[in-house]
């Protein structure tokens, strides 16, 4: 169930971040206190009418000279072309059409991706309309006037963006082949893992043509079942600064994770778990995907009988916000435990789509409340009427209560633990939505 990806491209000072922030609204602070999920504000979830999408900001440009601006804009346009389903090209009505706009428009036009041309800073439609029409000359379609700072015209712009989404974007396709994204820091062995899987005689591989993103999708057959592996092995262009490479790999990770059912997070066994690993894992956690942490290069780690326990503790502490993640120690080089990897993927895929009957859920709920009373505040006690599962991938539950304010997150977590004890749900996050309803007379 992958959400479409929309990327914003534009020159410095045309208002990209203002637009990004307005659309992202309060969503940016979704993760208020999840340790390890830092927000470099590269992406945000946006919902318009009944459509949701992931919006990515391709990054700021340091205005140094016109040449640098142009080369960095081309770079951003390339990122957008590689990763996005729809590109928003933002220009500024007050600066008018400049040379860099025209050159980037050429690139976007050749990309065959849908482009929505948005003219920003139009605070008054009467006053600026003639200047807006000038942008027809870019040859990428009709310019849509908006003012990000005054929030004018955003509805028309969003209508235009969602028009370009693929027909069935975001709908559940039940019986499809599991999609597995392999993510992790550069050089952790993502490609070697996929090559190893492909290299097995039992594995029949076909590179799937027509995958537009440059994350390469590889079909792998293992013991009669098919899987699609999405490789995010990134472009290591020479001479790029570390921040840019990191930002780029985060964007690539976001788009790959978005398309996957299960995410395999590879960690370098020799180096151990790092802050960047936590950041990458946070993306999968936030998007509610099944998660397997694969510690690679395990053959190269000096071990005694305690090593695996020490290692497990360290990873569990660093990724404390995802205790459900499955942990597996592998070697892409030697093929160690790759059989286990497939078994774990199958289990996680199953858990991601597990549905629990309402009756059974409520038995567990009743029992849980008997063992630990719901919290109360100033004499008012939380009442939980019932609970039902509303969707899968990730399994999502709605809990009906008398007063949302009383539902403390620690009690939600307690209920989650009870549900996990009963049904396992290993490898997948669970999502809980709390709704109020009036007291029954």
């Amino acid at each position: 169930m992958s959400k479409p990806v929309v990327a914003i491209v534009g020159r410095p000072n045309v208002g990209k971040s203002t637009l990004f922030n307005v659309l992202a609204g309060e969503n940016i602070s979704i993760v208020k206190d999840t340790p390890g999920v830092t927000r470099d504000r590269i992406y945000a979830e946006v919902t318009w009418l009944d459509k949701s999408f992931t919006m990515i900001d391709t990054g700021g440009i340091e205005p140094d000279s016109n040449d640098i601006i142009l080369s960095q804009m081309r770079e951003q346009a390339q990122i957008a072309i590689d990763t996005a389903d729809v590109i928003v090209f933002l220009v500024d009505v007050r600066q008018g059409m400049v040379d860099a706009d025209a050159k980037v428009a050429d690139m976007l036009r050749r990309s065959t991706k849908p482009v929505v041309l948005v003219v920003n800073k139009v605070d008054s439609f009467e006053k600026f309309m003639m200047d807006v029409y000038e942008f027809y000359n870019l040859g990428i379609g009709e310019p849509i006037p908006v003012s990000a700072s005054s929030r004018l015209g955003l509805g028309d712009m969003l209508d235009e963006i969602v028009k370009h989404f693929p027909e069935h974007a975001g709908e559940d396709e039940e019986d499809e082949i599991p999609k597995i994204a392999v993510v992790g820091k550069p050089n952790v062995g993502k490609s070697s893992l996929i090559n190893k899987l492909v290299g097995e005689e039992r594995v029949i591989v076909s590179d799937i043509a027509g995958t537009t993103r440059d994350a390469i999708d590889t079909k792998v057959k293992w013991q009669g079942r098919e899987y699609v592996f999405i490789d995010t092995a990134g472009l290591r262009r020479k001479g790029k600064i570390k921040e840019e490479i990191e930002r780029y790999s985060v964007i690539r990770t976001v788009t790959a994770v978005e398309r996957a059912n299960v995410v395999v997070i590879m960690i370098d066994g020799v180096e151990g778990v790092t802050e960047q690993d936590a950041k990458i894992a946070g993306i999968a956690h936030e998007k509610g995907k099944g998660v397997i942490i694969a510690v690679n290069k395990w053959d190269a780690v000096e071990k005694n009988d305690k090593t695996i326990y020490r290692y497990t503790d360290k990873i569990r502490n660093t990724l404390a916000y995802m205790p459900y993640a499955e942990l597996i120690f592998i070697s892409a080089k030697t093929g160690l435990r790759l059989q286990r990897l497939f078994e774990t993927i199958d289990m996680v895929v199953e858990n991601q789509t597990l549905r629990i009957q309402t009756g059974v859920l409520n038995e567990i709920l009743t029992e849980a409340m008997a063992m630990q009373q719901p919290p109360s505040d100033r004499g008012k006690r939380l009442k939980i009427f019932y609970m039902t599962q509303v969707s899968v991938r990730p399994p999502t539950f709605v809990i009906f209560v008398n007063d949302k304010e009383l539902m403390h997150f620690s009690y939600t977590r307690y209920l989650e633990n009870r549900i996990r004890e009963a049904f396992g749900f290993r490898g997948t996050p669970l999502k809980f939505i709390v709704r109020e309803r009036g007291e029954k007379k």
Side-chain angles (χ1 to χ4, degrees):
M1 196 166 126
S2 86
K3 285 195 200 118
V5 174
V6 176
I8 305 177
V9 175
R11 279 181 303 116
N13 308 323
V14 294
K16 281 197 309 213
S17 9
T18 314
L19 180 64
F20 184 83
N21 294 342
V22 167
L23 292 181
E26 295 309 297
N27 292 8
I28 288 304
S29 58
I30 293 179
V31 188
K32 290 208 180 57
D33 46 8
T34 314
V37 182
T38 48
R39 280 300 184 130
D40 321 359
R41 302 293 307 284
I42 290 179
Y43 67 97
E45 304 301 330
V46 179
T47 303
W48 175 246
L49 305 174
D50 55 347
K51 300 234 178 1
S52 295
F53 59 92
T54 297
M55 180 173 52
I56 50 181
D57 179 5
T58 50
I61 296 174
E62 297 304 315
D64 194 350
S65 70
N66 287 335
D67 306 345
I68 291 189
I69 287 178
L70 183 58
S71 76
Q72 289 196 323
M73 273 197 72
R74 283 196 165 130
E75 182 98 355
Q76 288 186 353
Q78 196 54 56
I79 292 179
I81 291 166
D82 290 345
T83 54
D85 296 297
V86 180
I87 298 164
V88 171
F89 184 28
L90 196 63
V91 292
D92 177 346
V93 74
R94 305 188 177 207
Q95 294 175 26
M97 198 172 112
V98 303
D99 195 31
D101 290 333
K103 292 203 164 108
V104 171
D106 285 343
M107 260 181 88
L108 295 175
R109 203 172 36 241
R110 285 197 301 271
S111 78
T112 70
K113 289 281 176 91
V115 179
V116 177
L117 175 60
V118 179
V119 186
N120 193 18
K121 304 189 187 174
V122 183
D123 298 328
S124 142
F125 289 173
E126 287 71 56
K127 202 165 107 193
F128 288 112
M129 242 14 230
M130 289 318 291
D131 301 327
V132 169
Y133 292 140
E134 183 197 358
F135 288 98
Y136 267 112
N137 296 326
L138 289 174
I140 47 177
E142 186 180 344
I144 297 177
V146 305
S147 162
S149 58
S150 325
R151 300 177 180 234
L152 289 175
L154 298 182
D156 294 346
M157 175 191 77
L158 286 163
D159 285 343
E160 192 51 43
I161 291 173
V162 302
K163 251 186 224 164
H164 295 291
F165 290 169
E167 264 306 291
H168 302 293
E171 288 179 19
D172 242 344
E173 301 150 46
E174 280 297 335
D175 55 1
E176 53 174 33
I177 306 172
K179 294 193 179 61
I180 321 298
V182 181
V183 304
K185 294 194 314 255
N187 298 332
V188 66
K190 299 187 288 284
S191 302
S192 4
L193 174 68
I194 289 176
N195 294 342
K196 186 75 183 174
L197 298 178
V198 166
E200 301 281 345
E201 294 76 291
R202 286 170 290 188
V203 173
I204 302 160
V205 176
S206 52
D207 279 335
I208 300 168
T211 40
T212 42
R213 338 229 168 174
D214 50 1
I216 302 175
D217 291 9
T218 311
K219 230 182 207 168
V220 172
K221 213 170 191 174
W222 178 272
Q223 298 185 344
R225 286 193 67 175
E226 286 193 330
Y227 305 83
V228 171
F229 280 84
I230 304 167
D231 179 10
T232 53
L235 301 158
R236 300 299 309 264
R237 295 212 190 102
K238 295 278 178 289
K240 278 278 153 275
I241 46 175
K242 184 163 172 283
E243 284 76 48
E244 261 183 61
I245 289 178
E246 272 194 20
R247 180 185 193 93
Y248 192 59
S249 73
V250 169
I251 291 178
R252 293 285 294 280
T253 302
V254 169
T255 49
V257 166
E258 193 60 88
R259 295 168 53 219
N261 314 114
V262 176
V263 179
V264 175
I265 298 160
M266 288 188 77
I267 288 177
D268 186 323
V270 180
E271 193 187 333
V273 61
T274 66
E275 198 179 313
Q276 205 187 341
D277 294 323
K279 210 181 269 187
I280 290 169
I283 296 170
H285 171 69
E286 255 183 26
K287 294 191 171 292
K289 303 294 178 172
V291 176
I292 298 168
I293 298 161
V295 181
N296 191 22
K297 308 184 187 172
W298 195 240
D299 55 317
V301 174
E302 287 189 22
K303 300 182 266 298
N304 60 27
D305 54 349
K306 305 277 188 303
T307 315
I308 211 153
Y309 301 109
R310 277 209 308 274
Y311 228 92
T312 303
D313 286 347
K314 179 88 172 61
I315 289 173
R316 291 292 181 209
N317 287 334
T318 310
L319 305 178
Y321 54 91
M322 46 193 327
Y324 56 83
E326 281 295 302
L327 192 53
I328 170 170
F329 295 85
I330 64 168
S331 163
K333 203 166 106 196
T334 66
L336 175 77
R337 295 208 188 89
L338 291 192
Q339 171 92 29
R340 269 290 308 283
L341 179 62
F342 279 103
E343 289 164 4
T344 311
I345 288 171
D346 287 346
M347 174 190 77
V348 174
V349 166
E350 210 167 291
N351 286 339
Q352 273 261 295
T353 51
L354 193 59
R355 286 184 188 272
I356 310 295
Q357 290 172 331
T358 303
V360 182
L361 264 181
N362 287 295
E363 279 170 30
I364 288 173
L365 179 64
T366 312
E367 207 172 289
M369 292 195 301
M371 281 161 65
Q372 190 174 323
Q373 263 203 329
S376 62
D377 186 27
R378 297 192 207 95
K380 188 172 186 190
R381 185 167 293 286
L382 170 71
K383 276 191 188 150
I384 302 179
F385 300 114
Y386 71 102
M387 176 181 196
T388 182
Q389 184 176 352
V390 289
S391 66
V392 293
R393 283 201 199 130
T396 303
F397 303 91
V398 175
I399 304 177
F400 290 91
V401 300
N402 60 339
D403 185 349
K404 252 160 95 161
E405 295 303 304
L406 294 171
M407 187 73 177
H408 197 265
F409 89 96
S410 61
Y411 200 74
T412 311
R413 202 160 57 189
Y414 162 71
L415 293 178
E416 173 174 347
N417 292 339
R418 291 285 84 80
I419 290 173
R420 285 188 184 280
E421 274 169 29
F423 305 107
F425 280 119
R426 284 165 53 189
T428 178
L430 303 181
K431 204 166 140 198
F432 292 90
I433 300 164
V434 181
R435 296 237 169 96
E436 266 173 38
R437 59 158 236 216
E439 294 273 13
K440 277 192 177 149
K441 289 281 183 292

